[in-house]
Amino acid sequence: MSLYFTKDHEWIRVDGDVATVGISNHAQEALGDIVFAEVPDAGKSLSKGDDAAVVESVKAASDVYAPVGGEVVEGNAAVGDDPSLINRDPEGEGWFFKLKLSDPSELDGLMDEAAYREWVATL
Amino acid sequence: MPSAHRAFERTGGVTESSENLQKLPLDGWHRARGGRMVPFAGYEMPVQYEGIMAEHLWVREHAGLFDVSHMGQLLFHGPEVDRALETLFPGALLILKDGRLRYSMLLSEDGGIIDDLMATRRGEQFYVVVNGATKEGDIAEFEKRLPRTIVMDHMKEQALLALQGPEAVQVLDAIVPGVSELSFMQAALFHWDGKPLWVSRSGYTGEDGFEISVSSRDVEALADAILADERAKPIGLGARDSLRLEAGLPLYGHDLDTATTPVMADLTFAIGKRRRAEGGFAGSLRIMAELENGAAQKRVGLLVEGRQPVREGALILDGEGNEVGRITSGGHSPTLGRPIAMGYVATPLAGEGSALTLEQRGKLFQATVTPMPFVPHRYFRKQGA
């Protein structure tokens, strides 16, 4: 299992050929109180960079992009039911969706956790 | 963070960069309390401290302290100052008693709203509080349109605090005895620690509370004294916006602008009875005709189905998909736990219960016109006052 991050503050946890995607703790802090989340349905095909999910806080609406391409195997119904889960546990229970990687080489060039935390500290 | 469609901007329609922003007298005080500072109305202002939701709910249950020192505080005096201001405002100022205040508007000659404001008779003078983003333009209007015999003083040395919420009266009366005697929309001079305070029982949250004009020199000590009471917490702009939306109160630059009139904005309560009959204020011909026949559009409140906030700029559609209006403010209501909005809609569709469709980023939402406020006002009105 390996963990990657993007400069859009998304994280990707890869287990075999399945990637779980969510937003980082830094992202949820910047967004503030999250009041709405919409995640993709299983079966949806996403290319890297597609709009994949929507997250809205009291102050702003944001898109979550697919950081890698693949077919969605599960959207997290729990964050749709209780969006504040993303504030409470952004890098754990507050994940957005899981997809089956179509091209694992798309992971190349993403940051590992140490590089991401170091970069975020400079923002 | 994930790419934002719209960062938090309540700028009163003014494009802002991080340059040339002014600092509030309490700038360091906000930062020391964890205030997250953002550009607003030409100032760096705290959008939140611990979080918008928690701050919002705190004001509805306890007492919240807001720094609104960016707003313009103006003092007018001169012969028949009330009559002079009545040429620009539709409110009945001649009959306003000493120490009473009224919500009003500065109107253009065609009846458009240049700003909304509070006007208080203060002895021989009128004390007028205008919005921060519009104050310089307002001052230019007053200079141009009032008679030369009327003198206007922009009280730049004064800060302005608002203390709002059901416990505001206990918090403030404990350090400024007597303020609990004020009724809603009444004001008087008080002293705290020997320093003069102009205290009004008013605000923009729908709750009971006060607005306190205090010298910039003394504002930090006063803010500390208020927050020494654990019932009071500092509250940022984010919650100020969601509180006033729940209270159905329009925000200038969003829900009001020079293209809207008091009738379109559903603010006819602010047009005095005598003034409706006599006119004699800027734009009165148009406004009196709109009072008689209705305006083409009207500001309404909307309950939005589902959970997703529908925000400023969304389209309002009729049953055939024709655009019949626009959302001017919208978001999540922390008190109701659901999305609410206000906007302008063609008057025939503005009745209570009218079912409308909203369109935001290609997605459709169902909404129903509902009376405002969304959350009942809890102003303190003294018996017989």
Side-chain angles (χ1 to χ4, degrees):
Chain A
M1 191 130 69
S2 31
L3 182 60
Y4 302 88
F5 286 85
T6 72
K7 289 204 166 179
D8 290 327
H9 305 282
E10 292 158 332
W11 54 262
I12 306 104
R13 185 171 281 118
V14 179
D15 189 5
D17 63 353
V18 173
T20 305
V21 177
I23 66 170
S24 71
N25 186 54
H26 174 83
Q28 73 76 22
E29 266 182 15
L31 285 166
D33 299 309
I34 293 171
V35 296
F36 177 79
E38 187 175 65
V39 298
D41 294 329
K44 184 168 185 179
S45 179
L46 293 171
S47 299
K48 181 176 179 171
D50 282 355
D51 291 349
V54 175
V55 59
E56 298 213 19
S57 68
V58 173
K59 52 188 175 179
S62 301
D63 284 327
V64 177
Y65 298 127
V68 288
E71 186 181 309
V72 176
V73 292
E74 188 182 354
N76 187 3
V79 300
D81 292 342
D82 178 11
S84 67
L85 186 57
I86 301 161
N87 289 123
R88 294 197 304 274
D89 191 9
E91 297 179 16
E93 293 299 312
W95 57 277
F96 279 62
F97 57 92
K98 296 182 183 191
L99 51 71
K100 193 165 183 220
L101 289 171
S102 55
D103 179 4
S105 75
E106 287 178 346
L107 295 165
D108 296 347
L110 295 180
M111 285 177 277
D112 65 17
E113 181 166 7
Y116 174 75
R117 305 281 183 217
E118 199 173 307
W119 174 67
V120 158
T122 67
L123 296 181
Chain B
M1 79 214 72
S3 81
H5 287 287
R6 269 185 348 122
F8 185 78
E9 292 178 291
R10 302 305 264 174
T11 59
V14 178
T15 306
E16 310 208 28
S17 68
S18 54
E19 293 159 37
N20 304 322
L21 290 173
Q22 299 187 67
K23 282 191 168 31
L24 298 166
L26 284 178
D27 185 82
W29 187 93
H30 293 305
R31 293 173 197 273
R33 274 155 195 77
R36 189 184 292 177
M37 307 300 277
V38 300
F40 180 88
Y43 289 80
E44 287 185 77
M45 295 192 65
V47 64
Q48 65 171 67
Y49 302 84
E50 63 175 307
I52 294 172
M53 198 94 81
E55 291 168 30
H56 179 114
L57 296 172
W58 185 267
V59 175
R60 290 273 182 250
E61 288 174 23
H62 305 285
L65 183 66
F66 303 78
D67 181 5
V68 287
S69 301
H70 64 302
M71 299 185 87
Q73 299 181 65
L74 309 174
L75 206 51
F76 296 88
H77 65 94
E80 296 195 292
V81 62
D82 48 6
R83 203 171 287 279
L85 290 172
E86 274 202 353
T87 63
L88 307 182
F89 302 172
L93 301 182
L94 298 184
I95 58 162
L96 191 62
K97 292 178 185 156
D98 193 21
R100 297 282 169 167
L101 52 147
R102 194 152 273 181
Y103 175 80
S104 197
M105 287 155 274
L106 170 60
L107 298 176
S108 68
E109 292 304 327
D110 72 355
I113 302 171
I114 296 172
D115 205 357
D116 65 338
L117 52 88
M118 291 283 195
T120 311
R121 188 187 291 275
R122 190 159 150 175
E124 298 293 302
Q125 305 175 316
F126 263 83
Y127 168 66
V128 174
V129 179
V130 301
N131 283 295
T134 43
K135 64 186 174 187
E136 298 303 334
D138 294 352
I139 288 167
E141 289 285 329
F142 286 123
E143 282 173 346
K144 193 170 72 185
R145 295 166 65 195
L146 285 175
R148 286 168 182 273
T149 51
I150 303 296
V151 178
M152 172 177 59
D153 174 23
H154 182 190
M155 303 160 82
K156 289 183 179 171
E157 72 290 353
Q158 288 294 103
L160 190 64
L161 298 178
L163 184 67
Q164 300 280 295
E167 294 177 347
V169 61
Q170 292 102 299
V171 171
L172 193 61
D173 201 71
I175 60 169
V176 188
V179 295
S180 60
E181 295 297 311
L182 293 171
S183 186
F184 180 58
M185 297 301 258
Q186 189 178 12
L189 183 67
F190 291 84
H191 287 83
W192 168 77
D193 196 21
K195 299 166 178 92
L197 307 179
W198 181 258
V199 180
S200 308
R201 196 144 197 183
S202 56
Y204 222 59
T205 60
E207 296 295 331
D208 183 23
F210 301 89
E211 292 172 300
I212 308 155
S213 178
V214 54
S215 164
S216 297
R217 286 189 315 274
D218 303 327
V219 65
E220 186 162 331
L222 178 62
D224 282 338
I226 290 169
L227 289 198
D229 190 317
E230 62 184 18
R231 291 173 290 191
K233 284 189 180 184
I235 309 295
L237 283 176
R240 183 171 169 82
D241 192 43
S242 52
L243 287 158
R244 69 90 198 166
L245 177 61
E246 287 184 345
L249 300 171
L251 180 63
Y252 196 84
H254 300 269
D255 310 300
L256 306 176
D257 59 29
T258 53
T260 54
T261 65
V263 180
M264 291 168 68
D266 199 20
L267 298 172
T268 53
F269 75 89
I271 309 175
K273 191 175 165 194
R274 172 181 57 84
R275 316 235 52 209
R276 290 168 191 239
E278 292 178 3
F281 53 92
S284 56
L285 286 180
R286 176 182 176 188
I287 289 168
M288 287 160 80
E290 287 185 353
L291 281 168
E292 178 108 5
N293 308 315
Q297 288 207 314
K298 194 179 163 198
R299 184 174 63 95
V300 297
L302 293 159
L303 288 174
V304 182
E305 284 179 28
R307 297 175 65 162
Q308 185 165 14
V310 175
R311 303 174 197 263
E312 182 177 4
L315 303 181
I316 306 177
L317 310 176
D318 67 9
E320 274 88 59
N322 304 305
E323 182 180 336
V324 291
R326 292 266 177 144
I327 297 299
T328 51
S329 284
H332 178 80
S333 160
T335 304
L336 303 176
R338 60 170 302 159
I340 57 174
M342 63 172 81
Y344 283 80
V345 67
T347 302
L349 298 171
E352 183 179 348
S354 175
L356 297 165
T357 301
L358 311 181
E359 183 185 338
Q360 175 173 258
R361 299 192 296 275
K363 193 166 161 183
L364 302 180
F365 300 81
Q366 296 311 308
T368 308
V369 174
T370 188
M372 292 191 284
F374 297 99
V375 173
H377 294 161
R378 298 195 286 181
Y379 302 137
F380 176 76
R381 289 188 169 88
K382 259 168 81 169
Q383 296 278 315

